Amino acid sequence: MAETSPGNGATPSRAPESAPGEPTRLLRAALHEVSTVIVGQERMVERSLIALVARGHCLIEGVPGIAKTLAVSTLAKVAGGSFSRIQFTPDLVPSDIIGTRIYRPSTEGFDVELGPVFANFVLADEINRAPAKVQSALLEVMAERQVSLGGTTHPLPSPFIVLATQNPVESEGVYPLPEAQRDRFLMKVDVRHPRAHEEMEILRRMSTDPPVAHQILDPVTLSELQADAERVHVHQLIADYVVRLVMATREPENYQMPDLGNVLEVGASPRASLGLVAAARALALLRGRDYVLPDDVRVLAHDVIAHRLVLTFDALADGVTAHQVVDRILSTVLAPRVIWDEPPSGETASFASRR
């Protein structure tokens, strides 16, 4: 996490309604270009872009036919850079995705053949169809952004993001993601069927001459946007709010929620705190601000925290979901209060503690 200013430090310089700068304009243009192909599913597209700007990975879960793969491939085309799609199947082996060493009789030596993960955008389609050994091969790729083959470390291109999809309803030939791998995803987005008016628009738009998205960004511009997001101001009270939300998943009895002790077996890891701040910064930049508000944290809390929680067997038997737990925590752990001022130099925001 980048350094945050103390509670009595400098305040942000722009209000939420301020005119968007160049980074915000580019991000909004990219979102608009994706929306020319993808009807509805605004949340999925926005979260995928936020994960990209926040240097994280995104897991998209939904039933077949709701444009998960199309949304990811379209975002990759709009953002520029290299793109690779890996269709996960039960017979996949680790070398199929990270690469392997091949013996060349002509040279009497081994050559390294790099796998399809060496791309800026990696679409791991139906990731839960591959066995644990293949899924674990992605751990180093996602966390360290490198691959070790034959005693040599090969760095992945930058920027780099894994966008994975999975089907929640099938049970045959499906291997649930281990907790360690779920924790490597910055966000997990649940996608539902489109609504009636969106379905009509899909029919109108796709049944004749399907639209094609155009490239808006490139790897260099994308790296600059990631750097812009890391410079977004995070007030000390906002950082404290993030920590309290995450700590409430581990020690609910210390946050007036003793009943959650029988619901939560394992709380969120420190990656949740880091990821929530990084994602909130990216969302603030998308919304045209150079500072984070409590609403940015609250909006993204489900996507960043829920998939990291491990519920007890009793909670699962009672039908309790991780999203319900996050709802309870958000309603109990109070956010800092935003105080808007109007000095001669323009409107600014300061924060007051509210616990």
Side-chain angles (χ1 to χ4, degrees):
M1 181 191 306
E3 182 180 357
T4 57
S5 64
N8 57 355
T11 56
S13 59
R14 289 186 298 182
E17 296 79 11
S18 59
E22 182 64 12
T24 300
R25 187 193 67 78
L26 287 171
L27 291 174
R28 292 179 180 177
L31 276 181
H32 175 74
E33 191 65 25
V34 175
S35 69
T36 62
V37 176
I38 305 299
V39 179
Q41 311 297 10
E42 294 89 355
R43 181 169 169 270
M44 172 179 64
V45 175
E46 182 189 66
R47 298 300 192 268
S48 300
L49 183 61
I50 288 173
L52 177 61
V53 175
R55 303 181 191 270
H57 309 290
C58 187
L59 177 61
I60 303 173
E61 180 174 282
V63 297
I66 53 176
K68 300 187 301 295
T69 302
L70 179 61
V72 172
S73 59
T74 303
L75 178 62
K77 184 173 184 178
V78 170
S82 55
F83 172 72
S84 177
R85 173 181 175 177
I86 307 173
Q87 187 67 48
F88 280 59
T89 56
D91 60 347
L92 210 64
V93 296
S95 60
D96 290 332
I97 62 173
I98 65 173
T100 187
R101 299 174 70 204
I102 299 178
Y103 180 73
R104 304 290 185 187
S106 58
T107 61
E108 296 184 352
F110 287 90
D111 290 341
V112 174
E113 292 288 341
L114 301 179
V117 294
F118 286 86
N120 297 115
F121 288 83
V122 175
L123 169 57
D125 212 357
E126 295 188 290
I127 189 174
N128 55 336
R129 284 193 173 276
K133 184 178 290 187
V134 175
Q135 294 176 3
S136 65
L138 284 175
L139 292 181
E140 182 185 15
V141 171
M142 296 172 64
E144 308 298 333
R145 287 172 165 77
Q146 65 182 28
V147 169
S148 299
L149 287 173
T152 303
T153 298
H154 303 271
L156 292 163
S158 180
F160 174 76
I161 181 174
V162 173
L163 294 156
T165 68
Q166 69 176 10
N167 183 354
V169 296
E170 286 194 71
S171 58
E172 183 160 352
V174 171
Y175 304 82
L177 298 184
E179 289 78 8
Q181 187 172 2
R182 291 206 308 267
D183 196 39
R184 258 79 172 182
F185 284 100
L186 171 64
M187 291 189 288
K188 176 177 176 289
V189 183
D190 296 318
V191 186
R192 302 183 183 277
H193 280 115
R195 290 164 289 187
H197 70 280
E198 293 171 342
E199 190 94 8
M200 181 62 72
E201 178 62 19
I202 292 172
L203 187 62
R204 184 195 68 80
R205 191 179 299 185
M206 297 295 185
S207 59
T208 53
D209 187 16
V212 177
H214 300 89
Q215 181 177 337
I216 300 295
L217 308 174
D218 57 70
V220 174
T221 303
L222 192 51
S223 296
E224 293 172 352
L225 291 173
Q226 291 174 336
D228 289 332
E230 290 173 346
R231 288 191 291 268
V232 170
H233 177 82
V234 179
H235 195 279
Q236 183 64 34
L237 289 178
I238 297 292
D240 175 71
Y241 177 50
V242 169
V243 171
R244 286 187 288 120
L245 288 175
V246 174
M247 290 302 299
T249 69
R250 303 178 206 165
E251 304 169 356
E253 65 279 358
N254 294 337
Y255 294 86
Q256 294 77 50
M257 294 176 289
D259 54 304
L260 289 186
N262 297 323
V263 174
L264 288 166
E265 182 174 341
V266 180
S269 73
R271 284 195 184 98
S273 302
L274 294 169
L276 194 50
V277 169
R281 279 178 159 145
L283 180 60
L285 186 66
L286 178 61
R287 292 180 171 179
R289 284 184 272 105
D290 57 4
Y291 55 92
V292 173
L293 290 176
D295 281 348
D296 299 326
V297 175
R298 294 176 62 87
V299 163
L300 297 169
H302 286 86
D303 304 303
V304 176
I305 296 178
H307 68 283
R308 292 181 160 91
L309 303 179
V310 179
L311 305 185
T312 63
F313 177 81
D314 290 339
L316 295 174
D318 292 337
V320 178
T321 67
H323 287 281
Q324 291 173 338
V325 174
V326 176
D327 281 333
R328 174 73 187 285
I329 292 173
L330 287 174
S331 64
T332 305
V333 179
L334 297 179
R337 182 164 52 94
V338 181
I339 302 174
W340 293 103
D341 303 315
E342 295 186 7
S345 59
E347 190 174 32
T348 62
S350 59
F351 300 87
S353 178
R354 184 180 67 181
R355 302 189 181 185

